[in-house]
Coordinates of all heavy atoms in Angstrom, one line a residue:
M1 N 73.6 -27.6 -13.3 CA 72.2 -27.6 -13.6 C 72.0 -27.2 -15.0 O 72.5 -26.2 -15.5 CB 71.5 -26.6 -12.6 CG 70.0 -26.7 -12.7 SD 69.2 -25.8 -11.4 CE 68.1 -24.7 -12.3
S2 N 71.2 -28.0 -15.7 CA 71.0 -27.7 -17.1 C 69.5 -27.4 -17.4 O 68.6 -28.0 -16.8 CB 71.4 -29.0 -18.0 OG 71.0 -28.8 -19.3
I3 N 69.3 -26.5 -18.3 CA 67.9 -26.2 -18.7 C 67.6 -26.8 -20.1 O 66.6 -26.5 -20.7 CB 67.6 -24.7 -18.7 CG1 68.6 -24.0 -19.6 CG2 67.7 -24.2 -17.3 CD1 68.2 -22.6 -19.9
T4 N 68.5 -27.5 -20.7 CA 68.3 -28.1 -22.0 C 67.5 -29.4 -22.0 O 67.0 -29.7 -23.0 CB 69.7 -28.4 -22.7 OG1 70.3 -29.3 -21.8 CG2 70.5 -27.2 -22.8
N5 N 67.3 -30.0 -20.8 CA 66.7 -31.3 -20.8 C 65.1 -31.1 -20.5 O 64.6 -31.6 -19.5 CB 67.3 -32.2 -19.8 CG 66.7 -33.6 -19.8 OD1 66.2 -34.0 -20.9 ND2 66.8 -34.3 -18.8
R6 N 64.5 -30.3 -21.3 CA 63.1 -30.0 -21.1 C 62.3 -30.3 -22.3 O 61.8 -29.5 -23.0 CB 62.9 -28.5 -20.7 CG 63.5 -28.2 -19.4 CD 63.5 -26.7 -19.1 NE 62.2 -26.2 -18.9 CZ 61.8 -24.9 -18.7 NH1 62.8 -24.0 -18.7 NH2 60.6 -24.5 -18.6
S7 N 62.2 -31.6 -22.6 CA 61.5 -32.1 -23.8 C 60.1 -31.9 -23.7 O 59.4 -31.6 -24.7 CB 62.0 -33.5 -24.1 OG 61.7 -34.3 -23.1
A8 N 59.5 -32.2 -22.6 CA 58.0 -32.2 -22.4 C 57.7 -31.1 -21.4 O 58.3 -31.1 -20.3 CB 57.5 -33.5 -22.0
A9 N 56.8 -30.3 -21.7 CA 56.3 -29.3 -20.7 C 55.6 -30.0 -19.5 O 54.8 -30.9 -19.8 CB 55.3 -28.3 -21.4
P10 N 56.0 -29.6 -18.4 CA 55.2 -30.2 -17.2 C 53.8 -29.9 -17.2 O 53.3 -28.8 -17.6 CB 55.9 -29.6 -16.0 CG 56.7 -28.5 -16.5 CD 56.9 -28.6 -18.0
G11 N 53.0 -30.9 -16.9 CA 51.5 -30.8 -16.9 C 50.9 -30.9 -18.3 O 49.7 -30.8 -18.4
A12 N 51.7 -31.2 -19.3 CA 51.1 -31.3 -20.7 C 50.1 -32.5 -20.7 O 49.2 -32.5 -21.5 CB 52.2 -31.6 -21.7
N13 N 50.3 -33.5 -19.9 CA 49.4 -34.7 -19.9 C 48.2 -34.4 -19.1 O 47.3 -35.3 -19.0 CB 50.2 -35.9 -19.6 CG 50.7 -35.8 -18.1 OD1 50.9 -34.7 -17.6 ND2 51.1 -36.9 -17.5
V14 N 48.1 -33.4 -18.3 CA 47.0 -33.0 -17.5 C 45.9 -32.5 -18.3 O 44.7 -32.8 -18.1 CB 47.4 -32.1 -16.4 CG1 46.1 -31.7 -15.6 CG2 48.4 -32.7 -15.4
H15 N 46.3 -31.6 -19.3 CA 45.2 -31.0 -20.1 C 44.7 -32.0 -21.1 O 45.4 -32.7 -21.7 CB 45.9 -29.9 -20.9 CG 45.0 -29.2 -21.8 ND1 44.1 -28.2 -21.5 CD2 44.8 -29.4 -23.2 CE1 43.4 -27.8 -22.5 NE2 43.8 -28.5 -23.6
F16 N 43.4 -32.0 -21.2 CA 42.8 -32.9 -22.2 C 41.6 -32.2 -22.8 O 41.0 -31.3 -22.2 CB 42.3 -34.3 -21.6 CG 41.2 -34.1 -20.5 CD1 39.9 -34.2 -20.9 CD2 41.5 -33.7 -19.3 CE1 38.9 -34.1 -19.9 CE2 40.5 -33.6 -18.3 CZ 39.2 -33.7 -18.6
E17 N 41.3 -32.5 -24.1 CA 40.3 -31.8 -24.8 C 38.9 -32.3 -24.4 O 38.7 -33.5 -24.4 CB 40.6 -31.9 -26.3 CG 41.8 -31.3 -26.7 CD 41.9 -31.0 -28.1 OE1 41.1 -31.6 -28.9 OE2 42.7 -30.2 -28.6
H18 N 38.0 -31.5 -24.2 CA 36.6 -31.9 -24.0 C 35.7 -30.8 -24.7 O 35.5 -29.8 -24.2 CB 36.3 -32.0 -22.5 CG 36.8 -30.8 -21.7 ND1 36.1 -29.6 -21.7 CD2 37.9 -30.7 -20.9 CE1 36.8 -28.8 -20.9 NE2 37.9 -29.4 -20.4
Y19 N 35.1 -31.3 -25.8 CA 34.2 -30.5 -26.5 C 32.8 -30.8 -26.0 O 32.5 -31.8 -25.3 CB 34.3 -30.8 -28.0 CG 35.5 -30.2 -28.6 CD1 36.7 -30.9 -28.7 CD2 35.6 -28.8 -29.0 CE1 37.9 -30.4 -29.2 CE2 36.7 -28.3 -29.5 CZ 37.9 -29.1 -29.6 OH 39.0 -28.5 -30.1
C20 N 31.9 -30.0 -26.3 CA 30.4 -30.2 -25.9 C 30.0 -31.6 -26.4 O 30.3 -32.0 -27.5 CB 29.6 -29.1 -26.6 SG 27.8 -29.3 -26.3
E21 N 29.3 -32.2 -25.5 CA 28.9 -33.6 -25.9 C 27.6 -33.6 -26.6 O 27.1 -34.7 -26.9 CB 28.8 -34.5 -24.6 CG 27.7 -34.1 -23.7 CD 27.5 -35.2 -22.6 OE1 28.5 -35.7 -22.1 OE2 26.3 -35.6 -22.4
E22 N 26.9 -32.5 -26.8 CA 25.7 -32.5 -27.7 C 26.0 -33.0 -29.1 O 27.0 -32.5 -29.7 CB 25.2 -31.0 -27.7 CG 23.8 -30.9 -28.5 CD 22.7 -31.3 -27.6 OE1 22.8 -31.6 -26.4 OE2 21.6 -31.5 -28.2
P23 N 25.3 -34.0 -29.6 CA 25.6 -34.5 -30.9 C 25.6 -33.3 -32.0 O 24.6 -32.6 -32.0 CB 24.5 -35.5 -31.1 CG 24.0 -35.9 -29.8 CD 24.2 -34.7 -28.9
G24 N 26.6 -33.3 -32.7 CA 26.7 -32.3 -33.8 C 27.2 -31.0 -33.4 O 27.5 -30.1 -34.2
C25 N 27.4 -30.8 -32.1 CA 27.8 -29.5 -31.6 C 29.4 -29.5 -31.6 O 30.0 -30.4 -31.1 CB 27.3 -29.2 -30.2 SG 27.8 -27.6 -29.6
K26 N 29.9 -28.5 -32.2 CA 31.4 -28.4 -32.3 C 32.0 -27.4 -31.3 O 33.2 -27.0 -31.4 CB 31.8 -27.9 -33.8 CG 31.3 -28.9 -34.8 CD 32.0 -30.2 -34.8 CE 31.7 -31.0 -36.1 NZ 30.3 -31.4 -36.3
E27 N 31.2 -26.9 -30.4 CA 31.6 -25.9 -29.5 C 32.5 -26.5 -28.4 O 32.4 -27.7 -28.1 CB 30.4 -25.2 -28.8 CG 29.6 -24.4 -29.7 CD 30.3 -23.2 -30.2 OE1 30.9 -22.5 -29.4 OE2 30.2 -22.9 -31.4
W28 N 33.4 -25.7 -27.9 CA 34.2 -26.1 -26.7 C 33.4 -26.3 -25.5 O 32.5 -25.5 -25.2 CB 35.3 -25.1 -26.5 CG 36.2 -25.4 -25.3 CD1 36.2 -24.8 -24.1 CD2 37.2 -26.5 -25.3 NE1 37.1 -25.4 -23.3 CE2 37.7 -26.4 -24.0 CE3 37.6 -27.4 -26.1 CZ2 38.7 -27.3 -23.6 CZ3 38.6 -28.3 -25.8 CH2 39.1 -28.2 -24.5
G29 N 33.6 -27.5 -24.8 CA 32.8 -27.8 -23.6 C 33.4 -27.1 -22.4 O 34.2 -27.7 -21.7
G30 N 33.1 -25.9 -22.3 CA 33.6 -25.1 -21.2 C 32.9 -25.3 -19.8 O 33.4 -24.8 -18.8
F31 N 31.8 -26.0 -19.8 CA 31.0 -26.1 -18.6 C 30.8 -27.5 -18.3 O 30.1 -28.3 -19.0 CB 29.7 -25.3 -18.8 CG 29.9 -23.9 -19.0 CD1 30.0 -23.4 -20.3 CD2 29.9 -23.0 -18.0 CE1 30.2 -22.0 -20.6 CE2 30.1 -21.6 -18.2 CZ 30.3 -21.2 -19.5
G32 N 31.5 -27.9 -17.2 CA 31.4 -29.3 -16.8 C 30.5 -29.6 -15.6 O 30.2 -28.7 -14.9
H33 N 29.9 -30.8 -15.6 CA 29.1 -31.2 -14.4 C 29.3 -32.6 -14.1 O 29.4 -33.5 -15.0 CB 27.6 -30.9 -14.8 CG 26.7 -31.3 -13.6 ND1 26.4 -30.5 -12.6 CD2 26.1 -32.5 -13.4 CE1 25.7 -31.2 -11.8 NE2 25.4 -32.3 -12.2
S34 N 29.4 -32.9 -12.9 CA 29.5 -34.4 -12.4 C 28.7 -34.5 -11.1 O 28.8 -33.7 -10.2 CB 30.9 -34.8 -12.2 OG 30.9 -36.0 -11.6
P35 N 27.7 -35.4 -11.1 CA 26.9 -35.6 -9.9 C 27.7 -36.0 -8.7 O 27.2 -35.8 -7.5 CB 25.8 -36.5 -10.3 CG 26.3 -37.2 -11.5 CD 27.3 -36.3 -12.1
S36 N 28.8 -36.7 -8.9 CA 29.6 -37.2 -7.8 C 31.0 -37.3 -8.3 O 31.3 -37.4 -9.5 CB 29.1 -38.5 -7.2 OG 29.6 -39.6 -7.9
K37 N 32.0 -37.5 -7.3 CA 33.4 -37.6 -7.6 C 33.7 -38.9 -8.3 O 34.7 -39.1 -9.0 CB 34.2 -37.6 -6.4 CG 34.3 -36.1 -5.9 CD 35.1 -36.1 -4.6 CE 35.2 -34.6 -4.1 NZ 35.8 -34.5 -2.8
A38 N 32.8 -40.0 -8.2 CA 32.9 -41.3 -8.8 C 32.6 -41.3 -10.3 O 32.9 -42.2 -11.0 CB 32.1 -42.3 -8.1
I39 N 31.9 -40.2 -10.7 CA 31.4 -40.2 -12.1 C 32.2 -39.1 -12.9 O 32.4 -38.0 -12.4 CB 29.9 -39.8 -12.1 CG1 29.2 -41.0 -11.4 CG2 29.4 -39.7 -13.5 CD1 27.7 -40.6 -11.2
P40 N 32.8 -39.6 -14.0 CA 33.5 -38.6 -14.8 C 32.7 -37.4 -15.1 O 31.5 -37.5 -15.4 CB 33.9 -39.4 -16.1 CG 33.8 -40.8 -15.7 CD 32.7 -40.9 -14.6
V41 N 33.4 -36.3 -15.2 CA 32.7 -35.0 -15.6 C 32.3 -35.0 -17.0 O 33.1 -35.5 -17.8 CB 33.7 -33.8 -15.3 CG1 33.0 -32.5 -15.6 CG2 34.1 -33.8 -13.9
R42 N 31.1 -34.6 -17.3 CA 30.6 -34.4 -18.6 C 30.7 -32.9 -18.9 O 30.6 -32.1 -18.1 CB 29.2 -34.9 -18.7 CG 29.1 -36.4 -18.4 CD 27.7 -36.8 -18.2 NE 26.9 -36.7 -19.5 CZ 25.6 -36.8 -19.5 NH1 24.9 -36.9 -18.4 NH2 25.0 -36.8 -20.7
W43 N 30.9 -32.6 -20.3 CA 31.1 -31.3 -20.6 C 30.2 -30.8 -21.7 O 29.8 -31.5 -22.6 CB 32.6 -31.1 -21.2 CG 33.6 -31.5 -20.1 CD1 34.2 -32.7 -19.9 CD2 34.2 -30.5 -19.2 NE1 35.1 -32.5 -18.9 CE2 35.1 -31.3 -18.4 CE3 33.9 -29.1 -18.9 CZ2 35.8 -30.7 -17.3 CZ3 34.7 -28.6 -17.8 CH2 35.6 -29.3 -17.1
W44 N 29.8 -29.5 -21.6 CA 28.9 -28.9 -22.6 C 29.4 -27.5 -22.9 O 30.0 -26.9 -22.0 CB 27.5 -28.8 -22.1 CG 26.8 -30.2 -21.9 CD1 26.0 -30.8 -22.9 CD2 26.7 -31.0 -20.7 NE1 25.5 -32.0 -22.3 CE2 25.9 -32.1 -21.0 CE3 27.3 -30.8 -19.5 CZ2 25.7 -33.1 -20.1 CZ3 27.1 -31.8 -18.5 CH2 26.2 -32.9 -18.9
C45 N 29.0 -27.0 -24.0 CA 29.1 -25.5 -24.2 C 28.1 -24.8 -23.4 O 27.2 -25.5 -22.9 CB 29.0 -25.2 -25.7 SG 27.4 -25.4 -26.4
W46 N 28.1 -23.5 -23.3 CA 27.1 -22.9 -22.5 C 25.7 -23.1 -23.0 O 24.8 -23.2 -22.2 CB 27.5 -21.4 -22.4 CG 26.5 -20.6 -21.6 CD1 25.7 -19.6 -22.1 CD2 26.1 -20.8 -20.2 NE1 24.9 -19.2 -21.0 CE2 25.1 -19.8 -19.9 CE3 26.6 -21.6 -19.2 CZ2 24.6 -19.7 -18.6 CZ3 26.0 -21.5 -17.9 CH2 25.0 -20.6 -17.7
E47 N 25.5 -23.0 -24.2 CA 24.1 -23.1 -24.8 C 23.5 -24.5 -24.5 O 22.3 -24.6 -24.3 CB 24.1 -22.9 -26.3 CG 24.4 -21.4 -26.6 CD 24.1 -21.1 -28.0 OE1 23.2 -21.8 -28.6 OE2 24.6 -20.1 -28.5
H48 N 24.3 -25.5 -24.4 CA 23.8 -26.9 -24.2 C 23.9 -27.4 -22.8 O 23.5 -28.4 -22.4 CB 24.5 -27.9 -25.1 CG 24.1 -27.7 -26.6 ND1 25.1 -27.5 -27.6 CD2 22.9 -27.5 -27.2 CE1 24.5 -27.4 -28.7 NE2 23.2 -27.3 -28.5
F49 N 24.6 -26.6 -22.0 CA 24.8 -26.9 -20.5 C 23.5 -27.1 -19.9 O 22.7 -26.1 -19.8 CB 25.6 -25.9 -19.9 CG 26.0 -26.2 -18.4 CD1 26.8 -27.3 -18.2 CD2 25.7 -25.4 -17.4 CE1 27.2 -27.7 -16.9 CE2 26.1 -25.7 -16.1 CZ 26.8 -26.9 -15.8
P50 N 23.1 -28.4 -19.4 CA 21.7 -28.6 -18.9 C 21.6 -28.2 -17.5 O 20.5 -28.4 -16.9 CB 21.6 -30.1 -19.1 CG 22.9 -30.7 -19.1 CD 23.9 -29.6 -19.5
Y51 N 22.6 -27.6 -16.8 CA 22.4 -27.4 -15.4 C 22.4 -25.9 -15.1 O 22.7 -25.5 -14.0 CB 23.6 -28.0 -14.6 CG 23.5 -29.6 -14.8 CD1 24.3 -30.2 -15.7 CD2 22.6 -30.3 -14.0 CE1 24.3 -31.6 -15.8 CE2 22.6 -31.7 -14.1 CZ 23.4 -32.4 -15.1 OH 23.3 -33.7 -15.2
K52 N 22.1 -25.1 -16.1 CA 21.9 -23.7 -15.9 C 20.7 -23.4 -15.0 O 19.7 -24.1 -15.1 CB 21.7 -22.9 -17.2 CG 22.9 -22.9 -18.1 CD 22.7 -21.9 -19.2 CE 21.7 -22.4 -20.3 NZ 22.4 -23.4 -21.2
T53 N 20.8 -22.4 -14.2 CA 19.6 -22.0 -13.5 C 18.8 -21.1 -14.4 O 19.2 -20.6 -15.4 CB 20.0 -21.2 -12.2 OG1 20.6 -20.0 -12.6 CG2 20.9 -22.0 -11.3
Y54 N 17.5 -20.9 -14.0 CA 16.6 -20.1 -14.8 C 17.2 -18.7 -15.0 O 17.2 -18.1 -16.1 CB 15.2 -20.0 -14.1 CG 14.2 -19.2 -14.8 CD1 13.6 -19.7 -15.9 CD2 14.0 -17.9 -14.4 CE1 12.7 -18.9 -16.6 CE2 13.0 -17.1 -15.1 CZ 12.4 -17.6 -16.2 OH 11.5 -16.8 -16.9
E55 N 17.7 -18.1 -13.9 CA 18.3 -16.8 -14.0 C 19.5 -16.7 -14.9 O 19.7 -15.8 -15.7 CB 18.7 -16.3 -12.5 CG 17.6 -16.0 -11.7 CD 16.9 -17.2 -11.1 OE1 17.5 -18.3 -11.2 OE2 15.8 -17.1 -10.6
Q56 N 20.3 -17.8 -14.8 CA 21.5 -17.8 -15.8 C 21.1 -17.9 -17.2 O 21.8 -17.5 -18.1 CB 22.4 -19.0 -15.4 CG 23.1 -18.8 -14.1 CD 23.9 -20.1 -13.7 OE1 23.4 -21.2 -13.9 NE2 25.1 -20.0 -13.2
E57 N 20.0 -18.5 -17.4 CA 19.5 -18.8 -18.8 C 18.9 -17.5 -19.5 O 18.9 -17.4 -20.7 CB 18.5 -19.9 -18.8 CG 18.4 -20.6 -20.2 CD 17.7 -21.9 -20.1 OE1 17.0 -22.1 -19.0 OE2 17.8 -22.8 -21.0
Q58 N 18.4 -16.6 -18.7 CA 17.7 -15.4 -19.3 C 18.6 -14.6 -20.3 O 18.1 -14.3 -21.4 CB 17.2 -14.6 -18.2 CG 16.0 -15.2 -17.4 CD 15.1 -15.9 -18.4 OE1 14.4 -15.3 -19.2 NE2 15.0 -17.2 -18.3
P59 N 19.9 -14.3 -19.9 CA 20.7 -13.5 -20.9 C 20.8 -14.2 -22.2 O 20.8 -13.6 -23.2 CB 22.0 -13.3 -20.2 CG 21.7 -13.5 -18.7 CD 20.5 -14.5 -18.6
L60 N 21.0 -15.6 -22.1 CA 21.2 -16.4 -23.4 C 19.9 -16.3 -24.2 O 19.9 -16.1 -25.4 CB 21.5 -17.8 -23.0 CG 21.6 -18.8 -24.2 CD1 22.7 -18.4 -25.1 CD2 21.7 -20.2 -23.8
R61 N 18.7 -16.4 -23.5 CA 17.4 -16.4 -24.2 C 17.2 -15.0 -24.9 O 16.8 -15.0 -26.0 CB 16.3 -16.6 -23.2 CG 16.2 -18.0 -22.7 CD 14.8 -18.6 -22.8 NE 14.7 -20.0 -22.3 CZ 15.0 -21.0 -23.1 NH1 15.3 -20.9 -24.3 NH2 14.9 -22.2 -22.6
R62 N 17.6 -14.0 -24.2 CA 17.4 -12.7 -24.8 C 18.4 -12.5 -26.0 O 18.0 -11.9 -27.0 CB 17.8 -11.6 -23.8 CG 16.6 -11.3 -22.8 CD 16.8 -10.0 -22.1 NE 17.9 -10.1 -21.1 CZ 17.7 -10.5 -19.9 NH1 16.5 -10.8 -19.4 NH2 18.7 -10.6 -19.0
K63 N 19.5 -13.1 -25.9 CA 20.5 -13.0 -27.0 C 19.9 -13.8 -28.2 O 20.0 -13.3 -29.3 CB 21.8 -13.7 -26.6 CG 23.0 -13.3 -27.5 CD 24.3 -13.9 -27.0 CE 24.4 -15.3 -27.5 NZ 25.7 -15.9 -27.1
L64 N 19.4 -15.0 -28.0 CA 18.9 -15.8 -29.1 C 17.6 -15.1 -29.7 O 17.5 -15.1 -31.0 CB 18.4 -17.1 -28.6 CG 19.6 -18.1 -28.2 CD1 19.1 -19.4 -27.6 CD2 20.5 -18.4 -29.4
E65 N 16.8 -14.5 -28.8 CA 15.6 -13.8 -29.4 C 16.0 -12.6 -30.2 O 15.4 -12.3 -31.3 CB 14.7 -13.4 -28.2 CG 13.9 -14.5 -27.6 CD 13.2 -14.2 -26.4 OE1 13.2 -12.9 -26.0 OE2 12.7 -15.0 -25.7
A66 N 17.0 -11.9 -29.7 CA 17.6 -10.7 -30.4 C 18.1 -11.1 -31.8 O 17.9 -10.5 -32.8 CB 18.6 -10.0 -29.7
A67 N 18.8 -12.3 -31.9 CA 19.3 -12.8 -33.1 C 18.2 -13.2 -34.0 O 18.3 -12.9 -35.2 CB 20.2 -14.0 -32.8
E68 N 17.1 -13.8 -33.5 CA 16.0 -14.2 -34.4 C 15.3 -13.0 -34.9 O 15.0 -12.9 -36.1 CB 15.0 -15.0 -33.5 CG 15.5 -16.5 -33.4 CD 14.5 -17.3 -32.5 OE1 13.5 -16.8 -32.2 OE2 14.9 -18.4 -32.0
N69 N 15.1 -12.0 -34.1 CA 14.4 -10.8 -34.5 C 15.2 -10.1 -35.6 O 14.7 -9.5 -36.5 CB 14.2 -9.8 -33.4 CG 13.1 -10.4 -32.5 OD1 12.3 -11.2 -32.9 ND2 13.2 -9.9 -31.2
H70 N 16.6 -10.2 -35.5 CA 17.4 -9.6 -36.4 C 17.3 -10.2 -37.8 O 17.5 -9.5 -38.8 CB 18.9 -9.6 -36.0 CG 19.9 -8.9 -36.8 ND1 19.9 -7.6 -36.8 CD2 20.8 -9.3 -37.7 CE1 20.9 -7.2 -37.7 NE2 21.4 -8.2 -38.2
L71 N 16.9 -11.5 -37.8 CA 16.9 -12.2 -39.1 C 15.5 -12.0 -39.8 O 15.4 -12.2 -41.0 CB 17.0 -13.7 -38.8 CG 18.4 -14.2 -38.5 CD1 18.4 -15.6 -38.0 CD2 19.4 -14.0 -39.6
K72 N 14.5 -11.5 -39.1 CA 13.2 -11.3 -39.7 C 13.2 -10.1 -40.6 O 13.9 -9.1 -40.3 CB 12.1 -11.2 -38.6 CG 11.8 -12.5 -38.0 CD 10.9 -12.4 -36.8 CE 10.7 -13.8 -36.1 NZ 10.1 -13.7 -34.8
Ligands
ZN1 ZN1 27.0 -27.4 -27.4

């Protein structure tokens, strides 16, 4: 048994890059959504993810407001 014949890491072709699909956004698309298994998953960063619930969005809104107040 040899361990030298490991040119490609297993699963390397499973990983694929998906950045936020918002035009101009360079963030990593960490939040995916697909309405059904037949439709490819679309990806967004958290700020652009359109399927957040109202409760989930509040911490982000507070963060943005705090940032805006900090700039004033
Ligand atoms: Zn984004």
Side-chain angles (χ1 to χ4, degrees):
M1 190 168 127
S2 171
I3 60 167
T4 58
N5 189 23
R6 295 172 64 182
S7 55
N13 59 343
V14 173
H15 177 84
F16 63 98
E17 296 198 344
H18 47 77
Y19 289 92
C20 176
E21 69 168 45
E22 183 77 10
C25 183
K26 302 290 194 296
E27 294 292 316
W28 177 251
F31 297 88
H33 177 86
S34 172
S36 87
K37 286 179 180 170
I39 298 174
V41 179
R42 298 166 69 191
W43 298 93
W44 294 268
C45 69
W46 176 243
E47 289 193 23
H48 292 129
F49 186 59
Y51 298 98
K52 291 192 288 279
T53 66
Y54 180 78
E55 288 77 14
Q56 286 174 319
E57 203 166 17
Q58 291 316 296
L60 174 66
R61 289 227 179 277
R62 279 196 290 272
K63 195 178 88 176
L64 291 175
E65 285 171 10
E68 283 176 12
N69 289 335
H70 186 71
L71 289 172
K72 280 172 189 167

